[in-house]
Amino acid sequence: MNAQSYLQKHSFFDELVVGLPDKETCLCIIIPAYNEPKLFVTLESVFAMKSLPGVTEVLVVLNHSVSSSEEIKNFHANQYQELLKIQETTKTSRIRLIAMQVIELPEKWAGVGMARKIGMDEAIRRFSKIGKEGILCNIDADCFVNSDYLIEVGLHFEMNPSVEALSFGFVHHTIDCDFLEKQAITFYELHLRLYLNWQKYFKYPFAYHTLGSCFGVRTDAYRQQGGMNRRKAGEDFYFLHKFSVIDKLAAVDKVLVFPSGRISDRVPFGTGKSVAQIIENAYNAESFESYHPEAIGIFCNGLQLLSLSYFKLKSQADAWKQSNLDPSLIDFLVTRNFQEHLDEIVKNCNNVKSFEKRLSRYFDPFLLMKFLHFTEANIKSRIAVMDSFKRFMKCYQPENIDVESCSVQQALDCMRAKDYGSFKPGVER
């Protein structure tokens, strides 16, 4: 789908930035911002990056709903004037600020998904003006970025032409957090890393972090997938897994982004909301829980067992009910009318490879999440996050780590070091 066709079908706004981009523009960073007092600190980090040979545009999307307070609306009006001043000072630099006008949205649309979409669609329009494809990246307005961010992103896309989207390595920063926020984000990030690493351990094909502040996508792939959704939360999860299930998502296993670990009530769920809930419920190392690794294993192993059953299912469609699947997975799949979906999958496949691909797409990350919630309610509850860590370490078998005596922070540093070989404790604090 070309840019004009995409914009006519999917964009909610006409041109928001007047004028032509530099013909050397190759990458655009979108920063949605709603009542963000740390925005200019984030921009300092962005402008301190090593630049690419081409031009990078930074589009800030100041946005609020029509029902926002006058205080917030005035705050954004003043921020916009400050952004215009910065835009003037960067207009000949390799990294250039583009100050988008403040967007006022209907209450039902207002949220981070819509803000990302507005910025990303405008970037599509700007690349179209110069007849080029490029790269779109997203960060949040309370992040810091690695000085090598642009270099690493550009290199990964250049070296992997079949990859359409990238998930960037991250470590939450706690510079503006109080003691309780620091403790809470430590719990939460440990949970995120264990959830992903258990998926990898059980060889799940779609094991990727999906943080809205930590991804990039090619412009043509963005259009092909229908652009960003306008969800008020979880927009990143839904968007990036469009690429994981078609084997077009990859991970940059280096820390490129430092999202904030602070409390936030801007979204109904996600990092900021989770931090607030952890503090509100006074969770500690024994009481804060993560997904049960055995439940993750049941789902992933079930996918692998079914993937090996093509010929059996071809001759007897309901054979999966008599297979070696865990009873909890069978019960769950029955509630999802799996037989109907399986019949369709088998009917449209004439070889093992195509069957495995279609089946794995059915067992996507959304279904995994639903299965975990099903097991929590019916069979297997969550597990203390430190117990999950200790179990994982026994499987991973690292050297020189006394797992039993690890604090939560030490456990998190262990997982960060496993995920990013170059990670050094303390860089985020």
Side-chain angles (χ1 to χ4, degrees), residues 6 10-12 30 32 111-122 124 136-138 210-213 215-219 221-243:
Y6 167 82
H10 295 286
S11 180
F12 289 94
I30 291 87
V112 66
M114 190 62 178
R116 289 196 202 285
K117 177 174 177 56
I118 290 168
M120 296 177 84
D121 287 356
E122 189 65 19
I124 292 293
L136 309 179
C137 293
N138 266 250
T210 56
L211 275 69
S213 57
F215 75 88
V217 60
R218 298 182 192 272
T219 50
Y222 174 82
R223 299 194 306 269
Q224 188 65 31
Q225 290 299 327
M228 175 58 69
N229 59 80
R230 59 187 192 192
R231 297 174 65 90
K232 293 195 176 188
E235 81 295 339
D236 39 18
F237 180 86
Y238 284 84
F239 178 76
L240 286 174
H241 279 308
K242 284 185 176 183
F243 296 96

Side-chain angles (χ1 to χ4, degrees), residues 153-221:
V153 172
L155 181 64
H156 274 76
F157 275 117
E158 181 181 352
M159 298 298 291
N160 300 280
S162 65
V163 169
E164 295 181 351
L166 288 172
S167 172
F168 306 149
F170 70 95
V171 165
H172 285 98
H173 78 77
T174 55
I175 294 170
D176 54 354
C177 296
D178 62 25
F179 173 79
L180 291 178
E181 287 174 321
K182 289 179 181 179
Q183 185 180 58
I185 194 59
T186 303
F187 290 146
Y188 185 68
E189 188 182 320
L190 179 59
H191 153 73
L192 291 180
R193 296 197 181 280
L194 285 166
Y195 179 45
L196 195 76
N197 274 282
W198 278 120
Q199 291 177 53
K200 291 180 178 179
Y201 177 78
F202 290 115
K203 298 180 172 57
Y204 186 57
F206 311 129
Y208 294 97
H209 286 299
T210 56
L211 275 69
S213 57
C214 305
F215 75 88
V217 60
R218 298 182 192 272
T219 50
D220 54 345

Side-chain angles (χ1 to χ4, degrees), residues 120-344:
M120 296 177 84
D121 287 356
E122 189 65 19
I124 292 293
R125 183 176 284 109
R126 290 184 66 72
F127 276 113
S128 176
K129 287 181 177 180
I130 54 175
K132 289 180 64 174
E133 300 291 354
I135 297 167
L136 309 179
C137 293
N138 266 250
I139 63 173
D140 287 342
D142 54 3
C143 292
F144 302 104
V145 290
N146 188 315
S147 61
D148 290 331
Y149 178 98
L150 291 176
I151 304 299
E152 292 289 345
V153 172
L155 181 64
H156 274 76
F157 275 117
E158 181 181 352
M159 298 298 291
N160 300 280
S162 65
V163 169
E164 295 181 351
L166 288 172
S167 172
F168 306 149
F170 70 95
V171 165
H172 285 98
H173 78 77
T174 55
I175 294 170
D176 54 354
C177 296
D178 62 25
F179 173 79
L180 291 178
E181 287 174 321
K182 289 179 181 179
Q183 185 180 58
I185 194 59
T186 303
F187 290 146
Y188 185 68
E189 188 182 320
L190 179 59
H191 153 73
L192 291 180
R193 296 197 181 280
L194 285 166
Y195 179 45
L196 195 76
N197 274 282
W198 278 120
Q199 291 177 53
K200 291 180 178 179
Y201 177 78
F202 290 115
K203 298 180 172 57
Y204 186 57
F206 311 129
Y208 294 97
H209 286 299
T210 56
L211 275 69
S213 57
C214 305
F215 75 88
V217 60
R218 298 182 192 272
T219 50
D220 54 345
Y222 174 82
R223 299 194 306 269
Q224 188 65 31
Q225 290 299 327
M228 175 58 69
N229 59 80
R230 59 187 192 192
R231 297 174 65 90
K232 293 195 176 188
E235 81 295 339
D236 39 18
F237 180 86
Y238 284 84
F239 178 76
L240 286 174
H241 279 308
K242 284 185 176 183
F243 296 96
S244 77
V245 297
I246 60 171
D247 302 321
K248 295 296 184 180
L249 177 64
V252 179
D253 293 330
K254 294 183 180 179
V255 180
L256 298 187
V257 184
F258 300 89
S260 175
R262 63 178 180 161
I263 287 176
S264 174
D265 58 1
R266 293 177 174 85
V267 293
F269 57 87
T271 302
K273 186 70 171 180
S274 296
V275 168
Q277 290 173 339
I278 292 168
I279 293 172
E280 181 181 350
N281 291 287
Y283 287 123
N284 55 36
E286 289 73 38
S287 60
F288 182 70
E289 296 176 331
S290 186
Y291 297 120
H292 204 297
E294 290 180 17
I296 299 170
I298 287 169
F299 184 89
C300 298
N301 291 334
L303 170 58
Q304 293 166 28
L305 281 170
L306 288 172
S307 295
L308 300 172
S309 304
Y310 171 67
F311 294 107
K312 190 174 182 179
L313 293 169
K314 194 81 171 173
S315 59
Q316 184 185 349
D318 65 349
W320 65 275
K321 293 181 181 178
Q322 287 79 46
S323 67
N324 292 324
L325 294 182
D326 188 278
S328 65
L329 183 57
I330 293 176
D331 290 344
F332 170 73
L333 292 174
V334 168
T335 69
R336 305 293 300 179
N337 297 316
F338 177 60
Q339 185 67 65
E340 181 181 334
H341 295 286
L342 182 61
D343 290 344
E344 186 70 17

